[in-house]
Amino acid sequence: MRLAAFLLLWLPLAVAAADIRIGVLAWQGEESAAAEWQPLLASLQGSLPGHRLQPSYLDLGGMENAVAAGRVDFVVTNPGNYVALEALYGVTRIATQIIEAGQDSAHTVGSAVIVRDDRHALKRLEDLKGQRLAAVSPDAFGGYQVVWAELKRHGVDPEDGDITPVFTGFPMTRVIEALENGSADAGAIRSCLLERLEREGRVPAGRYRVLSPQGAERPCKSSSPVYPGWAFAAAPKTSPGLAREVLIALLGLPAERTGQTWGVPADYHPVHGMLRELQITPYDFLREHRLEAQIRRYWPLAAALAMLLACWLAYTLRVEVLVQRRTRELSAALAARDQLAESIQAHRQQMEHLSRLSILGELSGTLAHELNQPLATISNYALGLARRLDNGTLSSAATAQAAAEIASESERAAGILAGIRAFARKRTRIRETVDLPTLIDGAVRLFRGMIHDAPQVDVIDRLPADRRAVEVDPLQIQQVLLNLLKNGLDAQRSARRSGHPMTITVEIAADDGARISVRDHGTGMSGEEQSRLFEPFFTTKADGMGLGLSISRSIAEAHGGTLDALAPDAGPGLVLRLQIPLAATAPETDEPAQ
């Protein structure tokens, strides 16, 4: 029964006799690794007689491939590589190597940065800025990565170019050779190596010293914290029974036979933290989040965006330049247009003034006669008063009547002169709200006052009582009406009908404006003459300038109106029709315009 129980106890642990494939990390090459690990494997083979050990000495890439392909049952590797394989493939450590007898298995690997003792300026890790640092390899855990992490903590980052790494390769003693031949200023080695070389007499004692030493209680000087040692780990598909069998055999090996001591698995979290800090395998994915990594990954897209941005900026700049240029050109054009408009306005005012002077010139012959009438009347009344005074027949009533007539004729003469003076005066354009029939009556009185044989002018007012106001320049509209009346009189004189009455009809037009039609009984015009009637310098008079009607139409258009000529519905003559908009409000005064 006891034997059966013993067999039942061990059955789960026992495995069928088979090959045990062990992958060993070979930093110094296959031959060197075989020489280093042969004593351990031979002893382990002796403890596992039912199995045949098949070691494979692999570099880092080969180790990862072997684990990924399931070609190994166990791996023996440094802490950094073990952490990577654990994170990537799930290998599980079963034992941790103890480097020096008496050290705890959880703290067995550290690194030391050494310099020659005569380099007095180099005392701390911070002093290495700008110096050359010899190390085994970028992938060496204790030979570089541990020192790299410690240097970063002291503000010296090799990736930022603070130091110049000089990688010597294995064996690690090449680092010391680099210091001796001057190809490096400092060297990174595993802790305890310097002490061992000094004990063996391979390096003179005191020849080198360790920078920023930590852990004075430790047997070896180190510039870094210490990390767990090499790991003996089982592959993901290795059976627990075989792993337990190998672990028992491994822990039972005497150190004097293998030169190595293995302990229970250590905590590798510090290694994880250090590798995460450096952002190297298995935490190299963190580098993908760095700005430079993002630029490296997305530089084609970034370049395309930058190009598009540059194109957009160039386009925007060009548009801005064109806009400014067009704005300057438009401003110059507007300024030139305003200047031209001012010039045209000035010339128009000058032409209007000349037109009025021309009308006055034509009427000047009759003006003297018109003034003679009131002056002669005044003279007759004055002489009559003198004679009746001499005869003693002057009564008070006769004196009052004569004085009233003299005053009336004086006012008449003064009114004629005032109208002529206002008509001839040169002034700027204005706008006033006036009663249109009153304005027309004033123009008719001025016309009849200036011409002694002026015909009768009948004014037919058809405007409604509430729509009689216009907002115009009274003098300009008066000028137009006088011009139309004067032309009508000339036409009637040419037709020998100078005494025939003329007619002015004012009414609401179809466009809701005021329409003023001046009808004469002259010779009329042919179709061709009528079509050219408003052309500048076109005239049917022998002594005419051909500017009166052209200027009159310009005045009408300046008031938002029109001036046209048409044949009358019946009889000879011509109808000149002036249309101007009505004002929105009625005028405040009914005083006649002069």
Side-chain angles (χ1 to χ4, degrees):
M1 291 299 292
R2 290 185 177 178
L3 179 60
F6 178 79
L7 292 175
L8 290 174
L9 177 65
W10 282 97
L11 274 177
L13 302 176
V15 296
D19 293 344
I20 299 177
R21 300 165 298 178
I22 301 176
V24 180
L25 183 63
W27 283 100
Q28 304 181 67
E30 184 175 356
E31 183 177 353
S32 176
E36 179 181 359
W37 294 97
Q38 193 280 332
L40 171 67
L41 296 177
S43 299
L44 190 61
Q45 178 66 76
S47 301
L48 299 169
H51 301 277
R52 186 179 62 179
L53 301 185
Q54 291 187 352
S56 299
Y57 301 101
L58 308 169
D59 57 13
L60 288 174
M63 180 70 78
E64 181 175 351
N65 292 335
V67 173
R71 295 197 301 268
V72 294
D73 301 308
F74 296 92
V75 296
V76 181
T77 185
N78 66 33
N81 185 233
Y82 163 71
V83 167
L85 296 177
E86 181 187 40
L88 297 175
Y89 303 104
V91 300
T92 306
R93 61 189 180 279
I94 60 175
T96 300
Q97 184 187 27
I98 301 174
I99 301 302
E100 294 292 338
Q103 287 187 329
D104 182 71
S105 62
H107 305 90
T108 56
V109 175
S111 295
V113 179
I114 61 173
V115 296
R116 287 174 47 176
D117 190 57
D118 55 357
R119 297 295 300 272
H120 303 295
L122 302 178
K123 297 179 180 178
R124 304 173 305 165
L125 293 178
E126 291 85 345
D127 299 331
L128 292 180
K129 280 190 175 181
Q131 305 296 322
R132 296 165 297 172
L133 176 67
V136 174
S137 162
D139 300 325
F141 180 74
Y144 181 67
Q145 292 175 346
V146 171
V147 171
W148 176 10
E150 194 62 20
L151 285 172
K152 286 190 66 175
R153 297 181 191 120
H154 286 77
V156 182
D157 192 348
E159 287 190 315
D160 291 342
D162 294 336
I163 63 172
T164 303
V166 179
F167 296 110
T168 63
F170 280 98
M172 194 170 287
T173 52
R174 291 182 180 177
V175 173
I176 299 177
E177 294 174 0
L179 297 181
E180 281 299 319
N181 61 30
S183 58
D185 302 296
I189 60 174
R190 292 180 59 173
S191 60
C192 294
L193 177 60
L194 178 61
E195 289 81 354
R196 189 175 70 184
L197 294 176
E198 289 179 346
R199 287 195 303 270
E200 294 173 354
R202 298 168 61 184
V203 172
R207 175 68 172 172
Y208 300 97
R209 53 186 168 85
V210 177
L211 299 182
S212 302
Q214 302 181 22
E217 71 283 358
R218 298 173 194 156
C220 303
K221 293 182 179 179
S222 174
S223 300
S224 71
V226 291
Y227 298 91
W230 279 47
F232 200 113
K237 294 182 179 180
T238 302
S239 66
L242 179 60
R244 182 181 303 173
E245 187 177 0
V246 172
L247 172 60
I248 294 173
L250 189 62
L251 296 177
L253 294 178
E256 59 273 12
R257 289 174 54 189
T258 64
Q260 299 180 12
T261 302
W262 292 85
V264 296
D267 181 11
Y268 280 77
H269 279 90
V271 181
H272 279 279
M274 187 269 288
L275 297 180
R276 187 184 302 109
E277 182 181 348
L278 295 179
Q279 297 182 350
I280 58 178
T281 306
Y283 299 101
D284 50 353
F285 65 89
L286 296 176
R287 290 177 173 263
E288 300 299 322
H289 299 287
R290 290 183 174 181
L291 177 60
E292 56 269 26
Q294 299 295 333
I295 294 176
R296 187 169 54 255
R297 173 180 293 180
Y298 298 108
W299 73 265
L301 179 60
L305 292 176
M307 185 175 295
L308 289 176
L309 179 61
C311 292
W312 179 78
L313 290 176
Y315 173 76
T316 303
L317 181 61
R318 175 171 175 74
V319 169
E320 183 66 22
V321 171
L322 290 177
V323 167
Q324 293 183 359
R325 182 186 302 170
R326 296 291 187 274
T327 301
R328 289 195 297 270
E329 294 175 353
L330 181 59
S331 300
L334 291 176
R337 189 196 64 176
D338 294 341
Q339 185 176 3
L340 179 60
E342 293 176 359
S343 177
I344 292 174
Q345 180 64 21
H347 283 86
R348 176 179 294 172
Q349 292 178 356
Q350 184 68 22
M351 291 298 294
E352 292 173 359
H353 181 65
L354 291 176
S355 175
R356 289 193 293 273
L357 293 180
S358 175
I359 294 173
L360 288 177
E362 295 181 28
L363 299 176
S364 60
T366 60
L367 180 60
H369 180 271
E370 291 302 315
L371 289 177
N372 278 335
Q373 283 188 338
L375 293 177
T377 302
I378 294 171
S379 176
N380 289 334
Y381 275 111
L383 292 175
L385 288 175
R387 284 196 302 269
R388 297 180 73 170
L389 181 62
D390 293 339
N391 296 332
T393 58
L394 181 62
S395 62
S396 299
T399 302
Q401 180 181 1
E405 292 293 338
I406 290 173
S408 175
E409 293 301 320
S410 297
E411 290 178 357
R412 178 186 172 194
I416 293 173
L417 292 175
I420 293 172
R421 184 167 59 251
F423 187 74
R425 186 171 60 243
K426 186 177 181 181
R427 60 174 186 169
T428 57
R429 190 184 69 169
I430 60 174
R431 287 289 186 270
E432 295 178 1
T433 301
V434 297
D435 182 78
L436 182 58
T438 303
L439 181 64
I440 295 173
D441 290 341
V444 171
R445 285 198 301 271
L446 182 59
F447 173 70
R448 291 179 57 80
M450 294 170 65
I451 300 176
H452 72 285
D453 58 348
Q456 177 69 29
V457 179
D458 299 328
V459 179
I460 302 175
D461 184 359
R462 296 176 180 170
L463 290 176
D466 58 340
R467 305 185 66 187
R468 306 171 66 83
V470 291
E471 185 174 358
V472 297
D473 184 338
L475 183 59
Q476 288 187 338
I477 298 301
Q478 191 179 63
Q479 175 182 345
V480 173
L481 294 175
L482 282 175
N483 198 17
L484 300 183
L485 292 172
K486 178 65 171 57
N487 285 339
L489 176 60
D490 293 341
Q492 290 191 160
R493 284 174 175 173
S494 297
R496 300 184 182 279
R497 290 193 285 270
S498 57
H500 199 285
M502 300 174 65
T503 305
I504 296 179
T505 304
V506 54
E507 56 192 349
I508 299 298
D511 61 354
D512 209 30
R515 181 168 60 199
I516 307 166
S517 301
V518 179
R519 167 76 155 89
D520 66 65
H521 296 270
T523 55
M525 287 187 171
S526 64
E528 181 182 359
E529 292 174 339
Q530 192 171 317
S531 63
R532 301 184 58 190
L533 182 60
F534 299 100
E535 291 182 6
F537 305 108
F538 174 80
T539 181
T540 58
K541 302 178 185 176
D543 54 350
M545 296 177 61
L547 292 175
L549 289 177
S550 175
I551 293 174
S552 296
R553 171 172 276 189
S554 299
I555 292 173
E557 292 173 350
H559 284 76
T562 59
L563 178 62
D564 301 300
L566 63 159
D569 295 335
L574 189 69
V575 177
L576 290 170
R577 189 169 60 189
L578 170 66
Q579 289 190 190
I580 53 177
L582 288 169
T585 58
E588 297 179 354
T589 177
D590 292 330
E591 291 295 329
Q594 294 295 327

